[in-house]
Amino acid sequence: MRRTIFVASAMLLFGILYPQSNFTQEKTGSAEPKMTPEDVAKKNPVPATPEGLAEARKIYGYDCAMCHGKEGDGKGDLAQDMKLELHDWRDPSTIEKMTDGELFWVVSYGRGKMVGGEVDRSPEKLRWNLVNLIRSFGKKGAAASDKPKTNNPQP
Ligand code: HEC
C-alpha cells in the first residue's frame, strides 16, 4: 500500500514537473507564445535592400506563397483550399494599422490558421526582411522588379 502511494505520487510529481520543463524550453516553439506590447512596439532594425528582399523572396516562395500568394495577394493555392480570407498585401491599407513589430511577430510565430512561423527556421534578420518584403508588396512597383506592373492607374 505504502509503495503504491509512493509510485502514484512519484508519477504525479513527474507529470507536474515534466510538462513544465518542456514549457520553458520551448517558449519559442509550440507553446503558443503571446505577443507583448514590447513586441508590438519593436521597430524594424533591418533596412530594405535589394539583396535582403531577394533573400526574403526565396524563403517566401517556399514557405509563404502557397497561402499568401506569390505577389502577396492572399490567393495562394493552399489558402484557396483552406478557404482562408487573407489580406491582399498589394493594398497597403490592409495592414497599415499593424506595426512592423506585429508583422515580425506573426512571421515568427504564426497566428490562428497560420500554424507556426519562421522562428525555428530563419534567423532574425531574414524575418525582418520578410516584413520588408510584405510591406514592399504594397509599394507600387517596388516589389515588382521581376514583373512589370500594368495595373498602375495612369493620370
Ligand atoms: C497555411 C497558410 C499560411 C502560410 C503557409 C503562411 N501564412 Fe501568414 N497568415 C495566414 C493566416 C490565416 C493569417 C491570418 C491570421 C489571423 O490573423 O488569424 C496570416 C497572417 C499573416 C501576417 C499578419 C498580417 C495579416 O495580413 O494578417 C503576416 C505578416 C504573415 N501571415 C506572414 C507570413 C509569412 C512571412 C509566411 C511564410 C514564412 C506565412 N505568413 C505563411 C496563413 C498562412
Side-chain angles (χ1 to χ4, degrees):
M1 180 65 192
R2 251 245 222 41
R3 189 179 288 169
T4 324
I5 293 174
F6 179 73
V7 170
S9 50
M11 273 162 64
L12 196 72
L13 201 66
F14 192 74
I16 293 169
L17 290 179
Y18 200 71
Q20 249 177 14
S21 58
N22 235 0
F23 196 67
T24 38
Q25 256 171 26
E26 287 181 22
K27 223 180 185 149
T28 52
S30 50
E32 285 254 333
K34 281 222 156 45
M35 198 186 305
T36 66
E38 291 82 67
D39 292 322
V40 175
K42 264 190 203 161
K43 297 264 185 299
N44 189 342
V46 179
T49 60
E51 296 75 33
L53 288 175
E55 198 192 351
R57 197 175 255 281
K58 221 159 69 187
I59 298 304
Y60 183 87
Y62 296 136
D63 290 347
C64 323
M66 67 277 212
C67 281
H68 289 287
K70 199 159 171 279
E71 299 301 322
D73 61 6
K75 297 189 178 20
D77 290 343
L78 185 55
Q80 310 270 44
D81 287 351
M82 291 172 71
K83 303 202 171 16
L84 299 174
E85 303 259 335
L86 299 179
H87 290 137
D88 183 347
W89 292 332
R90 294 171 307 173
D91 176 359
S93 71
T94 59
I95 45 169
E96 84 193 343
K97 291 213 173 70
M98 293 180 79
T99 64
D100 283 354
E102 275 179 279
L103 297 179
F104 177 75
W105 194 93
V106 179
V107 170
S108 301
Y109 302 108
R111 181 146 88 189
K113 295 234 167 68
M114 178 176 158
V115 177
E118 287 293 306
V119 68
D120 296 326
R121 282 187 286 200
S122 302
E124 199 169 317
K125 180 164 181 223
L126 181 50
R127 280 180 272 136
W128 281 117
N129 269 321
L130 281 163
V131 173
N132 286 332
L133 178 68
I134 290 164
R135 293 279 191 212
S136 79
F137 287 134
K139 294 187 183 120
K140 273 188 210 133
S145 48
D146 54 355
K147 190 182 130 206
K149 273 263 188 295
T150 47
N151 60 350
N152 283 351
Q154 292 299 330

